[in-house]
Amino acid sequence: MLFTTGCSTAAQSQDTPAADVVLKVGDQKGGAKSVLTAAGLLNDFPYKIEWSTFTSGPPLLEAASAGAIDVGAVGNTPPIFAAAANAKIAAVGVSKGQVEADAILVPESSPLKSVGDLRGKNIAVAKGSSAHGQVLLTLRSAGLTTKDVTLNFLQPADAYGAFTQGKVDAWAVWDPYTAQAQQEAKARVLTTGEGRSNGYGFQVAGKKALEDKGKNPALKEYLIRYYKAQKWADTHREEWAKAWAAETGLKYEVALAAVQRNGDTVVKLDDTVIKSEQELADAFTEDKTLPGKVDFAKFVDTRFQGDLA
């Protein structure tokens, strides 16, 4: 595609030269910057990028809503919580990943054997993260609600400490934390997102950036390269694992385990995706985790879909 050459989109914005555009990208450690660098897709990027690192999706979207960043990648649940808060954001791209690594972990010696056994237990999870959605849907599958357990809202680093120290009974999380806990803390997978989670991951932009005509070509170029980098990672897994390990400080074995069971496919941001996200939003409303009904379609912007095809 011509617009992956690094110059065509810059030419489209004659009012704002590429040299004057600064794209502010929110990232998580070992995320977009790592994979774009490993794939060699930042070498000739025609715009300046300012990177900001976040611990999970919810704080990243708070920054996007406030205009502190322009765009960033999150899981399937953060946009719903942001929408419930009437955040100034919109999903602009989506991919579908594997859900085997979206797990609820328990210690190796835990007596818990089934989802039903979680009743009355403490579960560590990052609030508003994809793992939060995983917990909700998992509990629903066993006829439980979040009121039947105690949710300890912790970011992954703090949750890992609480889990290894026995301060919580279970931990809902995603890779590479799942792989790390399995290999280094001998965690056992109680259940995964298979059959429950939709596996969607979104690129979400702030409304301020979307309204800036000078930044739109930069956003488009970034999205094209990001999804191209995801395709590269799927076909260069060992190489990607080495780069991921170097960036995050993870052991190569942990990174490789995470990479081998993960893979993202770019999909169209269409009614199917919106319906699935709406169903998840409605589940949170029914659980009384969110006040009122969220209309997810109002937080979707499809302007880049033709280019991403």
Side-chain angles (χ1 to χ4, degrees):
M1 294 184 291
L2 292 177
F3 32 75
T4 63
T5 62
C7 59
S8 60
T9 51
Q12 293 174 13
S13 181
Q14 298 179 7
D15 294 334
T16 307
D20 296 334
V21 175
V22 178
L23 189 65
K24 300 176 181 178
V25 181
D27 200 12
Q28 297 182 50
K29 196 168 185 180
K33 185 179 181 181
S34 293
V35 71
L36 282 161
T37 301
L41 291 169
L42 287 183
N43 298 336
D44 61 345
F45 195 73
Y47 306 93
K48 180 180 178 181
I49 296 181
E50 287 184 359
W51 298 92
S52 299
T53 304
F54 296 85
T55 55
S56 63
L60 186 154
L61 292 189
E62 288 179 15
S65 180
I69 62 170
D70 299 320
V71 66
V74 298
N76 63 355
T77 303
I80 291 172
F81 274 68
N86 203 30
K88 298 175 181 178
I89 55 94
V92 292
V94 61
S95 58
K96 186 175 180 63
Q98 306 300 317
V99 295
E100 289 87 347
D102 296 333
I104 295 181
L105 305 174
V106 295
E108 185 180 32
S109 59
S110 172
L112 304 183
K113 302 297 183 185
S114 68
V115 174
D117 293 338
L118 289 170
R119 185 188 295 273
K121 303 302 181 183
N122 290 281
I123 305 173
V125 64
K127 186 175 183 179
S129 68
S130 58
H132 195 173
Q134 151 80 342
V135 168
L136 174 67
L137 296 177
T138 296
L139 292 174
R140 280 167 61 96
S141 71
L144 303 175
T145 73
T146 57
K147 309 303 182 290
D148 294 311
V149 300
T150 299
L151 297 183
N152 292 256
F153 293 126
L154 299 170
Q155 292 298 323
D158 295 328
Y160 185 81
F163 181 79
T164 55
Q165 294 167 28
K167 295 180 179 179
V168 294
D169 300 300
W171 180 21
V173 74
W174 55 90
D175 261 334
Y177 303 105
T178 299
Q180 183 181 26
Q182 285 180 293
Q183 292 194 23
E184 298 179 2
K186 300 198 181 302
R188 174 166 54 84
V189 174
L190 182 70
T191 187
T192 72
E194 291 183 270
R196 303 184 187 103
S197 175
N198 58 29
Y200 291 134
F202 293 92
Q203 281 287 330
V204 180
K207 290 289 184 68
K208 184 177 179 181
L210 290 169
E211 292 166 0
D212 186 335
K213 292 183 179 179
K215 284 196 174 181
N216 268 244
L219 282 169
K220 182 173 79 172
E221 186 74 20
Y222 175 79
L223 291 172
I224 289 168
R225 292 185 183 226
Y226 174 78
Y227 288 120
K228 201 174 178 187
Q230 280 194 338
K231 293 183 73 173
W232 172 89
D234 284 345
T235 55
H236 298 77
R237 297 196 177 216
E238 292 185 2
E239 191 175 345
W240 168 223
K242 289 177 182 177
W244 199 9
E247 170 72 17
T248 61
L250 290 169
K251 293 179 180 177
Y252 170 69
E253 293 77 14
V254 171
L256 183 61
V259 166
Q260 293 289 26
R261 67 179 166 205
N262 282 280
D264 294 284
T265 302
V266 183
V267 296
K268 189 175 182 181
L269 186 50
D270 59 11
D271 290 343
T272 298
V273 174
I274 293 172
K275 180 183 177 182
S276 181
E277 285 293 288
Q278 186 62 55
E279 290 172 351
L280 179 56
D282 291 344
F284 273 110
T285 298
E286 292 167 13
D287 191 62
K288 295 184 170 51
T289 301
L290 293 178
K293 183 177 177 65
V294 172
D295 187 352
F296 188 77
K298 292 182 177 179
F299 296 86
V300 171
D301 189 314
T302 60
R303 71 181 70 183
F304 301 114
Q305 292 306 294
D307 302 303
L308 296 180

